[in-house]
Amino acid sequence: MEKRTWWKEGIVYQVYPRSFFDSNGDGTGDINGIRQKLDYLKDLGVTILWLCPFYKSPDADNGYDISNYEAVQPSFGTMEELSALINEAHQHSLKIIIDLVINHTSSEHSWFLESRKSKTNDYSDFYIWRDGKDGNPPNNWGSVFSGSAWTYSPERGQYYLHLFTPQQPDLNWQNDSVRSELFAMMDRWCRKGIDGFRMDVIGMISKPEDYPDAPVRPGKIYGEWGSLIMNRPQVHIWLKEMNKTVLSKYDLVTVGETSGVTTKDALQYAGFGAHELNMVFQFERPDAETENGSKWTMKKAELSVLKEIFSRWQNDLEGKAWNSLYWENHDQPRSVSRYGDTGKYWKESAKMLAVCLYMQKGTPYIYQGQELGMTNTTFEKPEDLKDIEAVNAYNEMIHEHKISPAVAMQYINRISRDNARTPFQWSDKPQAGFTTGTPWIPVNANYKEINAQKELADPDSVLNFYKKINLLRKKYPVIVYGTYTLLMPDDERLYLYTRQLDNAKLLIVCNFTGEQVHAYIPQEFRDAPVLISNYGSEHSDRSMVRPYEGTVYSINN
């Protein structure tokens, strides 16, 4: 068996502080709100908390535009309260990893304020500045959030690069002083007692020095630079430097957000001997629903495609690197709305999705509310949107692509990031028990049916099912360390696979439809005990898989 580590055996729970729990009634979740819910998180069975950005920020991109890496956003609390959270989490045997946003800062960061003043001061080269071409930006790159990726600064008389909003200028990683400052900041956080980092868009920190124009697709104005800057060789040199300077000196877990990454790339980032990161987040699974490079569609991925992606990552990393397992996060819509059924089989499908993913090999990531089966919300009009990406995309759809407002809102309601950011549904009290005030974003209207208080009291709830899965991962090494084999790869309704560690074997059977479907059950599992199932009763004929069924059969465990 490969080397055992706490982070391979860990279960991560992602907290979006703004929407988790509001302790003071101002409508915004906060650090003390997280502290008050540590017992809930411990009882759920998770072992690692990932905190989305809580740093000082103007909030152009909900905290991913950081103006001070070592100060807490006042609406979230104080540094003293954050230190108390870290200590109290450790007392609950919960580790803490924090978001590390170091591809860019806020345009209000002191480094940028200095950098734009002149071309000769100590911070002049901390960001990526270029002269324009004939009154136009240096090249044709577009921002992720629409518009040009360059903004002109009259103060300096040059353009600066921002792959995201104009309020998020990209740092110049070629500058030794930038890396030195960032690594020193990371080291100070480690000494504060944090247990790891989730690294935002870390695969984008290296840019081609000649900044060439990027390819432009039909119907688009700006060039798409993804192939030019994602996962460039220089990134690995800098991550090895980071590892040597900071990461290797502490017992940490690290996961990198790496758009466009392949399994081959993942071995470079997170191979067991790579001395870079422990895991990466890959986007092949959500990207399977894009069309012509756009996520704003109604396309659903075929199950055979999802199986191929999951299986390739399981098999290509086997014994060489470690997988991360996630359905949802702060940038992805709710999984039961995306892959399950929010009607008749809501509960069954929410549980089945947990079985399907969290019986695979890798570290599980659970996004807040996922354990309740929280669903996408419905935004009636564009004024309801909070996310800069969704707002800009809506405007681009109706003005540039002449898509009707009704269709544009359909796309928004299916895939927008705001779906994941509605407040956690704690109870059936007003505002779902999230706040005594007015929430920063409206609660989902279904909070009276879907909430933690109700589910804690129901032994058959989605929440209590997640607890069972988390317990099983701690009890059975085959779930954490066993090898993976896919069965019935071409079936568009069923997902079957096995896990094996020595003589211990599991068969995982998942139905992604609302109909009963016939499956070929291997002979050795036809009389095997059920380890867990989302149906309370045993089926007389295992080969007939019930609607949205998720069942695990066990041998020699």
Side-chain angles (χ1 to χ4, degrees):
M1 188 166 74
E2 60 198 74
K3 182 181 177 183
R4 296 182 62 160
T5 67
W6 62 267
W7 47 266
K8 291 176 184 175
E9 297 170 12
I11 300 166
V12 182
Y13 188 91
Q14 182 185 357
V15 176
Y16 194 71
R18 192 182 307 272
S19 296
F20 190 57
F21 185 62
D22 172 19
S23 70
N24 60 7
D26 66 357
T28 298
D30 46 46
I31 289 164
N32 283 340
I34 302 169
R35 291 170 67 189
Q36 291 181 26
K37 299 299 184 180
L38 289 175
D39 286 343
Y40 168 85
L41 296 167
K42 176 70 174 176
D43 186 53
L44 176 58
V46 300
T47 59
I48 304 165
L49 304 184
W50 155 19
L51 303 182
C52 284
F54 48 77
Y55 314 93
K56 191 117 175 17
S57 168
D59 280 335
D61 183 23
N62 276 33
Y64 282 86
D65 49 317
I66 298 171
S67 58
N68 188 334
Y69 288 107
E70 294 173 81
V72 172
Q73 182 77 329
S75 61
F76 289 160
T78 66
M79 188 61 79
E80 290 72 27
E81 289 165 348
L82 181 68
S83 295
L85 170 60
I86 295 169
N87 292 334
E88 290 165 20
H90 290 161
Q91 290 166 15
H92 282 75
S93 300
L94 296 167
K95 294 183 181 290
I96 296 276
I97 63 176
I98 62 175
D99 241 303
L100 189 69
V101 187
I102 50 178
N103 173 72
H104 49 264
T105 69
S106 164
S107 57
E108 294 185 22
H109 195 291
S110 60
W111 297 344
F112 187 77
L113 297 178
E114 289 298 313
S115 186
R116 72 181 182 191
K117 285 180 181 177
S118 77
K119 299 177 183 179
T120 56
N121 70 38
D122 290 344
Y123 294 93
S124 61
D125 198 29
F126 264 51
Y127 297 84
I128 297 166
W129 295 94
R130 293 291 184 276
D131 293 328
K133 292 182 179 177
D134 302 320
N136 295 310
N139 65 26
N140 69 348
W141 292 6
S143 159
V144 169
F145 296 153
S146 70
S148 173
W150 297 91
T151 290
Y152 184 73
S153 170
E155 193 170 1
R156 176 154 161 159
Q158 286 186 304
Y159 289 83
Y160 65 89
L161 178 69
H162 53 86
L163 297 180
F164 297 92
T165 71
Q167 295 85 10
Q168 292 169 289
D170 281 48
L171 285 161
N172 176 18
W173 272 71
Q174 293 281 1
N175 185 336
D176 295 347
S177 297
V178 168
R179 302 196 305 280
S180 177
E181 290 274 9
L182 293 174
F183 297 165
M185 173 270 293
M186 291 170 64
D187 189 75
R188 289 190 291 274
W189 274 111
C190 291
R191 285 189 270 124
K192 281 182 181 290
I194 60 108
D195 303 289
F197 298 101
R198 176 265 185 185
M199 301 185 186
D200 186 67
V201 296
I202 198 67
M204 297 184 182
I205 57 176
S206 172
K207 284 82 174 176
E209 291 183 38
D210 55 347
Y211 289 88
D213 279 344
V216 182
R217 278 190 291 111
K220 286 285 187 180
I221 296 173
Y222 296 103
E224 297 177 347
W225 37 256
S227 60
L228 298 175
I229 72 154
M230 287 179 180
N231 312 306
R232 288 167 50 79
Q234 186 67 46
V235 174
H236 300 289
I237 295 172
W238 289 333
L239 286 180
K240 282 178 168 58
E241 181 185 349
M242 177 196 290
N243 188 293
K244 182 179 180 181
T245 306
V246 186
L247 305 180
S248 62
K249 297 179 179 177
Y250 302 91
D251 184 17
L252 303 174
V253 60
T254 53
V255 56
E257 183 189 27
T258 49
S259 297
V261 77
T262 64
T263 55
K264 184 179 178 182
D265 295 324
L267 295 177
Q268 286 188 276
Y269 280 110
F272 291 144
H275 304 293
E276 293 185 25
L277 307 175
N278 298 133
M279 289 171 269
V280 297
F281 287 135
Q282 54 95 354
F283 292 86
E284 281 197 66
R285 188 261 305 167
D287 285 350
E289 296 186 333
T290 61
E291 287 186 300
N292 297 319
S294 173
K295 69 186 247 183
W296 306 106
T297 74
M298 298 303 287
K299 178 184 175 183
K300 283 203 166 190
E302 295 179 342
L303 182 59
S304 59
V305 172
L306 296 180
K307 290 192 287 188
E308 189 280 325
I309 292 167
F310 279 130
S311 301
R312 176 160 35 81
W313 279 82
Q314 290 284 304
N315 295 328
D316 288 3
L317 270 58
E318 173 59 40
K320 301 174 184 176
W322 198 251
N323 271 296
S324 63
L325 308 173
Y326 76 95
W327 280 125
E328 300 178 16
N329 60 35
H330 63 292
D331 287 336
Q332 300 293 334
R334 293 296 183 176
S335 54
V336 71
S337 296
R338 192 171 193 169
Y339 302 109
D341 175 24
T342 56
K344 180 179 179 180
Y345 294 110
W346 161 74
K347 183 184 290 187
E348 290 83 359
S349 64
K351 294 179 181 180
M352 179 278 292
L353 290 170
V355 169
C356 179
L357 186 63
Y358 298 134
M359 287 291 148
Q360 294 183 30
K361 186 172 186 176
T363 297
Y365 289 75
I366 300 167
Y367 180 70
Q368 64 181 45
Q370 180 184 332
E371 77 277 16
L372 304 180
M374 279 180 63
T375 68
N376 282 0
T377 191
T378 300
F379 299 100
E380 301 293 344
K381 53 190 185 302
E383 291 76 23
D384 294 340
L385 303 174
K386 300 291 186 181
D387 177 31
I388 185 70
E389 180 190 43
V391 172
N392 289 351
Y394 175 84
N395 290 328
E396 186 175 297
M397 280 188 272
I398 63 170
H399 294 306
E400 290 183 25
H401 303 297
K402 308 306 178 187
I403 293 171
S404 75
V407 171
M409 286 307 294
Q410 269 190 303
Y411 296 156
I412 296 289
N413 279 315
R414 178 171 185 269
I415 213 77
S416 114
R417 304 193 302 179
D418 276 336
N419 281 303
R421 300 175 181 187
T422 59
F424 189 97
Q425 292 161 211
W426 288 104
S427 71
D428 62 2
K429 294 177 181 175
Q431 310 300 356
F434 162 72
T435 181
T436 57
T438 301
W440 72 277
I441 188 173
V443 299
N444 193 316
N446 63 15
Y447 72 89
K448 291 190 176 181
E449 291 76 46
I450 302 174
N451 64 71
Q453 184 180 47
K454 182 178 179 180
E455 295 197 28
L456 284 166
D458 176 8
D460 189 44
S461 67
V462 179
L463 174 58
N464 280 310
F465 192 78
Y466 265 82
K467 290 184 187 181
K468 292 174 185 174
I469 285 186
N470 291 341
L471 282 172
L472 291 176
R473 288 193 63 93
K474 295 171 184 176
K475 184 175 181 181
Y476 295 102
V478 64
I479 302 176
V480 180
Y481 294 107
T483 55
Y484 166 103
T485 303
L486 177 67
L487 308 177
M488 301 175 66
D490 298 324
D491 196 288
E492 293 295 353
R493 299 176 293 176
L494 297 175
Y495 191 164
L496 273 68
Y497 62 92
T498 61
R499 301 290 309 284
Q500 181 166 4
L501 183 67
D502 301 323
N503 293 324
K505 290 188 76 174
L506 303 174
L507 171 68
I508 293 84
V509 179
C510 294
N511 182 354
F512 274 72
T513 77
E515 302 169 353
Q516 187 162 273
V517 181
H518 181 268
Y520 173 75
I521 303 296
Q523 181 70 42
E524 60 185 327
F525 287 104
R526 290 180 186 173
D527 296 313
V530 172
L531 187 65
I532 189 171
S533 177
N534 64 346
Y535 276 79
S537 59
E538 174 68 281
H539 202 321
S540 57
D541 182 1
R542 290 184 175 180
S543 67
M544 296 308 296
V545 187
R546 291 165 285 191
Y548 287 104
E549 181 173 353
T551 297
V552 181
Y553 300 102
S554 170
I555 299 174
N556 298 327
N557 275 293

